[in-house]
Amino acid sequence: MSSVIVPGLGVRQDPVEFQRLMLEGMAFAVLLVDPALHRITASNAAADAVFGYADDGLTDASLGTCLPSWEEDLGSSAPELPTVDPPRPRVFTTRAQRFGGSNFVVEASITRPRHSPFWVVSVRSLSDDTVQPPSQMQELVSLLNATLESTADGILVVGTDGRITGTNSRFAELWRIPTTVLATHDDAAIMALVLQQLSDPDAFLAKVRELYAEPRAESLDVLHFNDGRVFERFSRPQLLADTVVGRVWSFRDITIRRHAELEAARALRKLRKRAKELHKLAYMDPLTGLGNRALFNDALEAAHTAPAEEDLTVFLLDLDDFKEVNDIYGHQAGDAMLIEVAQRLGSCVRKRDTIARIGGDEFVVILRSAEDADEVAQRIVDALRAPVEVCGVALRPSISLGIASRYADCCPNSGASDLFRRADIAMYEAKSAGKNRFVRFRPHMMEDLLQRSRLQESLRQAVDAGDIHPVYQSVQDRSGRILQYEALARWTWEGQPCPPDVFIPEAESSGLIIELGRVS
């Protein structure tokens, strides 16, 4: 397996580089020292300037090169591993030596921060009051370490060469990397341990390579684990004076949040499905699959208010003598006929037209197409004349169809309900004309309807008030002998005698004929 530099995946950690990156921007002089050899492993720019060395000129030099008498002036053993948090620095005054041999007096501080194998030596010239006190530097280092350890994210800092310069304990915890494995610095073993946890290890490596190819790029993506865990991975470049000196990776466990999001998405899908079902129940006739009255009302209102050059026509259909089908053959046969009628209606109009069942045996069609309405109506009447096979019996449905058009049959300011009312009036005219036909609305139909309505209301009032009186007429034989008397109802309406052949049919249709029979 070729060596791949992957942050946090087995590359040997370099605490020197990590602390150097963290301290490089500090104004005071700082040295990192190997406590076993007393050799300087790293220095910041301020230290190089104080002691007069070029960049990295102090690396691998003995601490005594800069501080010749540091051991004597320290006066006791060097600091060991810290036993308090933050670790307490050892502060003392000693002689310092610049490159070239000149001497000056400094105040030095030595401490060994928690989680660091190195001494941190800070130096302040006693003749330079502008340098930040070493105790403040130690507080900053301690605060930095405490911040990294207290964050809930796993943090990984990597240099431009791909070598890890630091991690926090949360990083190893999230990735479930045992400390014994980390201690081996075995890149292949740690890489295998990490990749085997991921659902898509190839995508993981591809993103890493992509970011190393673009040092200034930032990235935010999601990692899925085989055990169901989900991590959010964020990466950004680490800059120092506008120069990329490394990359910071952070990993956050968002498993609970992601599961909650998935549950919310599932719940939302269920709600949408339920909403569709409710919409279907609210706007669809369950028997025929057509729209119901609510859908028809909404569709008619929308079609009527929408601007259009084409006319808008409403058909109202009623099955003639449908009650007899239910009474003779049963409701199952009636339902079968209604389903067949719905299917035949669908074959007679176009998809842009609307068909709905608004009552037991009443259907409506909203005709939006440019076809001639009378031709479509005749096509519907002809289609429904064909026999329907119901329970082994061939039944011939018959319909009465009323037609009303927006521009031809309505006033300019009339509403959608007026259009439907005119189609209804025309449908009853079709029934009166003999059924099994269509009739287009005409203005006189409205006038006749109003006249009949006024006549029925006046007739009802006359019956209640006793204004209809009998006139007796004798029935004689040829010899003139009176055989019997017949009672004839007479009514004066609006000052004029109303002929019986006018008000008697209205009394029969309204049920008032029984009351008239009691007049004697």
Side-chain angles (χ1 to χ4, degrees):
M1 179 177 177
S2 59
S3 176
V4 178
I5 302 300
V6 179
L9 305 183
V11 180
R12 184 174 62 84
Q13 297 193 24
D14 188 347
V16 176
E17 183 65 16
F18 171 63
Q19 295 187 51
R20 179 177 179 176
L21 283 174
M22 296 300 147
L23 303 177
E24 185 62 41
M26 297 180 179
F28 45 83
V30 180
L31 305 172
L32 298 183
V33 179
D34 183 340
L37 302 176
H38 295 174
R39 287 192 175 276
I40 300 172
T41 59
S43 62
N44 67 351
D48 294 339
V50 167
F51 293 105
Y53 287 82
D55 292 347
D56 296 329
L58 286 169
T59 302
D60 290 332
S62 170
L63 181 58
T65 303
C66 302
L67 305 175
S69 59
W70 72 271
E71 292 185 273
E72 297 178 18
D73 295 334
L74 183 59
S76 61
S77 59
E80 299 297 333
L81 289 174
T83 58
V84 295
D85 193 2
R88 296 174 182 173
R90 303 287 301 282
V91 182
F92 60 99
T93 302
T94 187
R95 178 172 59 89
Q97 188 174 31
R98 291 190 180 91
F99 181 77
S102 61
N103 297 316
F104 59 102
V105 179
V106 298
E107 183 181 73
S109 171
I110 298 180
T111 188
R112 188 170 184 174
R114 187 172 298 279
H115 305 304
S116 175
F118 300 96
W119 293 344
V120 178
V121 180
S122 62
V123 177
R124 180 173 71 92
S125 173
L126 294 181
S127 60
D128 185 359
D129 294 334
T130 63
V131 178
Q132 193 172 8
S135 59
Q136 192 171 355
M137 181 276 292
Q138 298 296 343
E139 291 176 2
L140 290 176
V141 172
S142 177
L143 180 61
L144 174 62
N145 286 332
T147 300
L148 290 175
E149 289 303 320
S150 63
T151 181
D153 295 347
I155 303 296
L156 174 70
V157 182
V158 183
T160 54
D161 58 357
R163 298 175 62 192
I164 290 179
T165 58
T167 65
N168 64 354
S169 59
R170 180 62 174 160
F171 174 80
E173 178 185 344
L174 285 176
W175 284 97
R176 299 177 180 176
I177 302 175
T179 55
T180 54
V181 176
L182 286 175
T184 64
H185 306 296
D186 186 340
D187 179 33
I190 300 177
M191 172 73 78
L193 180 63
V194 168
L195 294 182
Q196 71 183 10
Q197 300 181 59
L198 296 172
S199 300
D200 192 351
D202 293 336
F204 176 88
L205 292 175
K207 176 59 68 174
V208 172
R209 295 189 184 100
E210 176 186 329
L211 291 176
Y212 278 114
E214 297 289 339
R216 291 183 176 271
E218 294 189 1
S219 174
L220 176 61
D221 59 345
V222 174
L223 305 177
H224 294 272
F225 286 66
N226 294 324
D227 60 4
R229 288 181 297 152
V230 183
F231 283 7
E232 202 171 58
R233 174 175 61 175
F234 176 65
S235 180
R236 61 176 176 79
Q238 183 67 31
L239 301 177
L240 181 62
D242 201 37
T243 300
V244 177
V245 296
R247 178 168 290 276
V248 177
W249 300 78
S250 64
F251 301 88
R252 176 171 298 179
D253 189 343
I254 61 169
T255 305
I256 296 177
R257 187 183 79 190
R258 179 53 60 93
H259 287 174
E261 291 172 350
L262 293 176
E263 286 297 326
R266 279 193 288 267
L268 184 58
R269 286 194 296 270
K270 289 182 180 179
L271 286 175
R272 288 172 178 167
K273 181 179 179 181
R274 182 59 178 164
K276 289 182 179 179
E277 293 173 350
L278 292 175
H279 184 275
K280 184 176 180 180
L281 292 174
Y283 288 94
M284 183 171 289
D285 174 46
L287 176 64
T288 63
L290 300 177
N292 59 12
R293 182 179 290 274
L295 182 140
F296 164 72
N297 290 337
D298 290 351
L300 181 60
E301 187 66 34
H304 192 272
T305 56
E309 297 180 359
E310 300 173 356
D311 205 352
L312 175 67
T313 300
V314 172
F315 294 169
L316 178 58
L317 300 78
D318 184 85
L319 292 180
D320 299 325
D321 304 318
F322 179 71
K323 183 176 181 301
E324 295 181 3
V325 176
N326 283 330
D327 293 342
I328 297 173
Y329 301 101
H331 288 280
Q332 184 176 0
D335 290 347
M337 178 176 283
L338 292 173
I339 294 172
E340 179 64 24
V341 169
Q343 293 174 350
R344 294 186 186 184
L345 283 175
S347 65
C348 294
V349 299
R350 298 180 180 180
K351 289 185 178 180
R352 62 177 299 195
D353 301 325
T354 300
I355 309 174
R357 179 186 174 216
I358 61 173
D361 61 344
E362 284 189 328
F363 295 83
V364 288
V365 177
I366 302 175
L367 194 68
R368 297 184 179 88
S369 57
E371 288 187 280
D372 182 81
D374 289 356
E375 292 182 4
V376 177
Q378 187 61 56
R379 191 159 64 235
I380 291 174
V381 172
D382 293 341
L384 293 180
R385 282 176 179 162
V388 177
E389 185 74 21
V390 176
C391 300
V393 179
L395 302 179
R396 293 182 179 274
S398 169
I399 64 165
S400 296
L401 190 155
I403 305 175
S405 298
R406 172 171 51 184
Y407 298 145
D409 304 321
C410 287
C411 300
N413 297 326
S414 61
S417 60
D418 293 325
L419 184 61
F420 176 72
R421 187 157 59 97
R422 284 164 171 76
D424 189 27
I425 293 172
M427 186 267 290
Y428 279 103
E429 285 292 328
K431 283 189 177 295
S432 299
K435 304 177 182 179
N436 197 26
R437 69 190 63 216
F438 72 89
V439 171
R440 176 175 284 278
F441 175 82
R442 293 290 180 260
H444 72 82
M445 297 178 185
M446 180 70 76
E447 296 172 4
D448 293 345
L449 178 64
L450 294 175
Q451 179 72 4
R452 287 197 304 270
S453 177
R454 191 160 58 88
L455 176 62
Q456 287 183 3
E457 181 61 27
S458 298
L459 182 60
R460 187 179 302 277
Q461 294 176 0
V463 170
D464 293 340
D467 292 338
I468 298 178
H469 57 277
V471 174
Y472 298 97
Q473 178 176 291
S474 62
V475 178
Q476 301 175 357
D477 59 13
R478 292 181 179 181
S479 65
R481 185 168 58 92
I482 298 176
L483 301 177
Q484 62 182 5
Y485 289 90
E486 62 179 0
L488 302 177
R490 293 293 182 262
W491 178 36
T492 301
W493 181 40
E494 296 181 347
Q496 298 292 332
C498 183
D501 60 349
V502 172
F503 70 83
I504 292 298
E506 294 299 329
E508 290 176 344
S509 64
S510 63
L512 290 173
I513 194 65
I514 298 175
E515 297 295 329
L516 284 178
R518 297 194 181 101
V519 176
S520 58

